[in-house]
Every structure is written in structure tokens, then in C-alpha cells.
Amino acid sequence: MLDDFLIRAGLAGIGVALAAAPLGCFVVWRRMAYFGDATAHAALLGVALALSLELPVFGGVLLVSLAMALIVSGLNGRSVSTDALLGVMAHGALAIGLVAVSLLPNQRVDLSAYLFGEILAVTKTDLLIIWGGAAASVALLIWRWQALLAATLNPDLATASGVNPRREQLFLTLALALTVAVALKVVGALLIAAMLIIPAAAARPFSRSPETMAIMAAIIGTVSALGGLAASFTFDTPTGPSIVSTAAILFAISAGVAPALRR
Amino acid sequence: MSLISTHNLTLRLNGQMVLEDVNIAIEAGEIVTIVGPNGSGKSSLLRVLIGALKPTSGSVTRAPELRIGYVPQKLQIDATLPLTVRGFLNLPRRKTGAVVATALTQAGVTDLARKQMADLSGGQFQRVLLARALLDKPDILILDEATQGLDQPGSAAFYRQIEDVRSEMGCAVLMVSHDLHVVMAASDRVLCLNGHVCCEGTPEIVADAPEYRALFGTGTQGALALYRHEHTHSHDHDHDHHHKHEAHDAG
């Protein structure tokens, strides 16, 4: 069954959708869109590092994304306005990553594969990594769920209840780096943040609790992955962007029916 | 020993002196209100007491196993976060339905458990915050401007609720108010803070002064307006300023 590249692609898409759903909810609730961008864009730098040191790409990406996420979450704790700074980090990481990849000696790197993903080229090993990483990220979030929610609502309230908001933020940072590393192959560095944010945002109108929102986001993400894959196959369009386009259409539909749901 | 006390507590934030040599102690069961102008360090002091800020120097001593119920100044729940009242009260630790129901009743909002936090009125929201603070049967309730955004009757009703809670549960209450005109008559002590503790005293003394009765009346059912205070200095925290403390004159 796994010998069919379409089945492998579908499973990879579902794996990423499941990892991105609960994490994406936190990204939306905590208004960390730029944070996601910066971490995802740093993945390119990780690719350059891994290729130049002949390390596995997954490891290089995980390492650099984690470093970037830690730096950014350190900045987040400051009282100075971080919006512009996060913008600098997000776009700077992307540009420097592109330059770094182009500087690799004797390497003909297919840049678009890292920018937009190449889900159709997912191997069995990739699949193992994607599902392993996704499972780790989801397990981490389920373990920390209540404490993370408390810290998200109000750091002082969390502190008074014995939850350390900075510690919880570290767990979130780790989950983000893991998800970025597994999603790179599927949707590429440019669109990872989209897979985090769009399904979660589309799930909001159908949710009355944080938990249902995460589950709805997982369903919407999965439908986007499979729908985008089918669309890409039918219309011969790039797969990563097709998946994100499908998610965006689902978001538009969700936003359209939202007012009716509130009545 | 005191439930919670500070010793020569000094706090600097971003190079600014926020609190200087603050010594306070809260005893079991008493109600203490902190008043002071904006930027006087009231909220920062509470945040040090709950452990959210570390003192630059000096220390905070908490009684062993002290349970603190904290009601923050304001709580902005992002519109993208769906959350029922019950779900909110279950953070960060899940409670049984009975525990949640009891806390809601103590806070005066019995039937709200299934409502969305976003659908609550300002008064209901504050009471749900109070219910959350009551969940762990606190030894001390710490409230930071808990009536901000409530109208006068709403504030008065909220303060009466706090008194009920105190007499029912016997916990100490430490409140902050920037509203110098509304201080609970039930406060055992009023602390005036402006970077340091300027003065403290019982509000009853002030309440008996005829000029204050003339100015504010006897208030509504216990939520008295009885403290007048003027700060005629600039707020550059050099503490080189002049106070007019009518409370001392009256005492």
C-alpha cells in the first residue's frame, strides 16, 4: 500500500495536518503568526546547514528552527514592542536561508522543493519521520494542554495558580520546531505558517471549547491536505500551494456561515 | 505569623524605580485596601506578592502552604479562543462539577457554568474571575482593581460580594483601588502607596470625620467613599514630594 506515492503523500499530508491543528490553535490564540513565520523560515537555514555538514535535513531543520524559536520567544518576553522585530526575524531568516542555500558548493539544490514542499516525493522514511515528529508534537501539547491554556489566558493568573508561563512557552516552542521540521517536506518553508493558522481560524466558528477547536482544525487540515492533493493531481498544480489554497477556501466558507451559526 | 509580608521590598522595572523599601504584612482574615494614584506601583506590588515579578532587592515571605486566590486587573480573552465558564474554571487543573458549582454560587453567579466567557457582561465576568480565585479555598484573596469597568452600583454590589465571601470563608483580602473615592468601609486597614507606603490607617477614623460624610455621604450598604488624598507632586519617583494626609489629621 505504501508503495503508491499518492498514498504516501496523503498520509504525509494528514500527519502534518494533525500536528499543525492543536499547535495552530495556540498560534492563533496567542497571536503568534509572525513567530510561526520566523521559525518556519529559519528552516531554510537549517537545510543549508544540514547539506553543508552532510547531516540529515530533518535534524538540521529541527536544530535551527528550535534555535530561532528560542530566540524569538526570548524576545517575546521583553516589554519592548516586538512586532517589527519579529518581522525582521521572519524575513531576515528567509533571505539569509536563501543566500546560504545558494552558497552551498557543488550542490544543485531544488530550492522550490524546500520553499513549497514536495509531498509527492515523500519516501517511507520521510513518512516515519513525519508521523514520529507529529506524534511527539501532539503528545507534548496534550500533556501540557491545561497549563498552556492557563498561560495563554493570562500569565499572572497562571503564575498565581502555580503554572510557570515561561516554562509552558518553552514546550510550545519545542512543539513548533518539531512541526516545522516535519512540515517542511510537505508544504515547504513558505507555507508552514499557513497550515498552522488557516485550519485553526476556519475551525473557530464551529467551536465552543478549545478542545473542539483543535479537533475541528485537525479535520479541516486533513480535508485540506487530501483535497489539495486531489486538486493538484487533477489540475496539475503545485501540491503544497494547492493544499493551502484548499484550506483558504474552507476558511472562506467557514467565515461565510459563521454569522448564521451565531444566531 | 503573617500570611504574606514584604521586607524592604524594592522593585525596578526597565530601570525605573517602581517600589522602594516597601514593608507590608497581611494577617489572617483581615481586609486591606491599597490606594494610590496611577503609576504608584499598586499592581506591581501585587504581582510581586503572587510571584509574577521578582523583587530587585528585599524579600517576600509567604506562610508555608499559603493558598492565594488572585483576581487580575483585567483579562482579555482573545476572540479566537472559545471557552465556557466551566472550561475557564478548570484551568490549569480540572475540578469536579460540584466544586465549580460551589465556587460560582459563592461568587454570586450560580447558573453561568455553560455560558461562553465572551458572552458575559462586565459584572458577570468579574464574578467568574472571583469564582476562579475561590476554587482552591484560598487563605488570601488578592484583587487588582477588580471593579474596573463596572458602574457605581456594580462596584458596590461586587464589594458586598467580597465581604460575604470573607465572612463565609474567613480568608484575608488584599485589594487594590486607584479610585480614591471608593474604599470599602469593611477594610480593616487602608494602605496608601506611591512607590513607597505613604501612610496607613483604619478607614473608620476617616469615615467619622464630618467633612467626609458631607463630601461623600454614607455610601451604599457598606461600600463607603471615605478617603480623600491629594498628591501634589510629579510622578518621577524621586519621592521628593508633599503629601496632604487628611486621614492623619482626622485621627
Side-chain angles (χ1 to χ4, degrees):
Chain A
M1 181 181 92
L2 291 178
D3 291 333
D4 187 333
F5 76 99
L6 262 185
I7 299 225
R8 288 199 303 273
L11 287 174
I14 293 171
V16 168
L18 295 184
L23 182 63
C25 288
F26 279 109
V27 169
V28 167
W29 296 331
R30 297 168 75 110
R31 304 190 174 197
M32 297 175 15
Y34 255 141
F35 186 101
D37 260 340
T39 309
H41 290 173
L44 267 190
L45 213 53
V47 170
L49 182 78
L51 292 180
S52 66
L53 297 178
E54 292 178 4
L55 293 168
V57 170
F58 176 82
V61 169
L62 185 61
L63 206 70
V64 175
S65 295
L66 189 59
M68 177 58 115
L70 286 173
I71 293 169
V72 174
S73 74
L75 294 176
N76 248 359
R78 305 279 167 84
S79 56
V80 291
S81 163
T82 52
D83 187 59
L85 207 49
L86 279 174
V88 171
M89 302 288 280
H91 302 298
L94 182 63
I96 293 169
L98 288 170
V99 170
V101 170
S102 80
L103 283 179
L104 290 176
N106 308 322
Q107 289 267 11
R108 290 171 62 216
V109 180
D110 179 7
L111 203 54
S112 79
Y114 293 112
L115 287 176
F116 303 109
E118 45 172 3
I119 191 173
L120 298 180
V122 164
T123 65
K124 285 181 191 173
T125 314
D126 290 335
L127 214 48
L128 201 66
I129 292 173
I130 289 170
W131 276 82
S137 167
V138 170
L140 197 60
L141 290 184
I142 290 176
W143 175 43
R144 303 311 307 168
W145 188 259
Q146 294 291 106
L148 260 171
L149 268 178
T152 298
L153 273 181
N154 184 295
D156 287 350
L157 210 60
T159 304
S161 310
V163 171
N164 181 346
R166 295 197 74 85
R167 179 164 165 261
E168 300 308 323
Q169 166 118 6
L170 280 182
F171 286 117
L172 202 61
T173 301
L174 185 58
L176 183 63
L178 265 170
T179 304
V180 164
V182 303
L184 183 68
K185 183 93 180 181
V186 176
V187 288
L190 285 183
L191 295 174
I192 291 172
M195 278 310 278
L196 290 173
I197 293 162
I198 300 176
R204 173 62 183 97
F206 307 102
S207 314
R208 285 185 52 81
S209 74
E211 293 78 19
T212 49
M213 183 160 153
I215 291 165
M216 285 300 298
I219 293 170
I220 292 169
T222 300
V223 171
S224 304
L226 298 181
L229 197 56
S232 147
F233 207 66
T234 311
F235 304 115
D236 192 25
T237 48
T239 314
S242 301
I243 290 174
V244 174
S245 301
T246 309
I249 291 167
L250 290 177
F251 171 78
I253 294 170
S254 157
V257 301
L261 285 175
R262 274 200 295 272
R263 258 181 235 130
Chain B
M1 73 179 282
S2 306
L3 291 180
I4 195 163
S5 57
T6 67
H7 309 278
N8 301 328
L9 169 71
T10 294
L11 178 73
R12 283 176 172 276
L13 288 178
N14 302 319
Q16 285 266 9
M17 184 70 86
V18 179
L19 296 169
E20 193 171 12
D21 257 344
V22 172
N23 292 288
I24 65 166
I26 311 298
E27 310 300 329
E30 69 171 344
I31 299 189
V32 178
T33 304
I34 302 177
V35 298
N38 286 330
S40 58
K42 303 185 298 293
S43 291
S44 299
L45 176 57
L46 294 197
R47 295 186 69 210
V48 171
L49 292 179
I50 64 166
L53 289 175
K54 282 200 168 41
T56 310
S57 66
S59 63
V60 176
T61 310
R62 296 182 190 83
E65 307 285 309
L66 181 71
R67 289 188 304 272
I68 296 178
Y70 175 63
V71 179
Q73 183 167 21
K74 58 174 179 246
L75 183 61
Q76 203 80 43
I77 297 185
D78 200 278
T80 58
L81 177 53
L83 194 62
T84 61
V85 169
R86 185 196 303 272
F88 174 69
L89 295 179
N90 275 323
L91 295 176
R93 278 171 288 278
R94 294 186 197 280
K95 313 285 188 304
T96 64
V99 169
V100 166
T102 306
L104 283 173
T105 302
Q106 282 168 336
V109 279
T110 306
D111 299 320
L112 290 185
R114 298 171 63 83
K115 273 216 161 194
Q116 286 285 306
M117 291 296 286
D119 294 338
L120 301 180
S121 71
Q124 288 173 330
F125 197 97
Q126 288 310 117
R127 281 182 161 74
V128 169
L129 287 182
L130 176 61
R132 189 184 178 285
L134 295 176
L135 279 173
D136 292 326
K137 307 217 179 317
D139 304 305
I140 179 168
L141 260 185
I142 297 185
L143 300 98
D144 191 357
E145 309 255 7
T147 60
Q148 212 178 38
L150 298 187
D151 57 14
Q152 202 81 41
S155 304
F158 188 82
Y159 283 132
R160 281 199 303 279
Q161 192 77 49
I162 301 285
E163 291 190 60
D164 291 349
V165 165
R166 198 270 299 250
S167 49
E168 191 178 327
M169 301 182 68
C171 55
V173 179
L174 176 63
M175 294 188 297
V176 145
S177 173
H178 84 277
D179 184 1
L180 303 184
H181 303 298
V182 181
V183 173
M184 276 175 63
S187 292
D188 298 307
R189 276 189 296 143
V190 176
L191 279 169
C192 177
L193 191 73
N194 193 29
H196 62 280
V197 178
C198 314
C199 66
E200 52 180 301
T202 59
E204 284 80 5
I205 295 166
V206 193
D208 286 338
E211 57 266 44
Y212 290 98
R213 287 181 178 274
L215 214 51
F216 301 115
T218 48
T220 47
Q221 297 184 42
L224 277 177
L226 41 72
Y227 196 75
R228 191 175 136 215
H229 193 125
E230 284 173 24
H231 291 267
T232 53
H233 59 288
S234 60
H235 290 176
D236 53 6
H237 297 281
D238 58 4
H239 305 302
D240 178 23
H241 53 241
H242 165 73
H243 290 293
K244 190 168 149 196
H245 284 298
E246 307 276 354
H248 288 176
D249 299 345

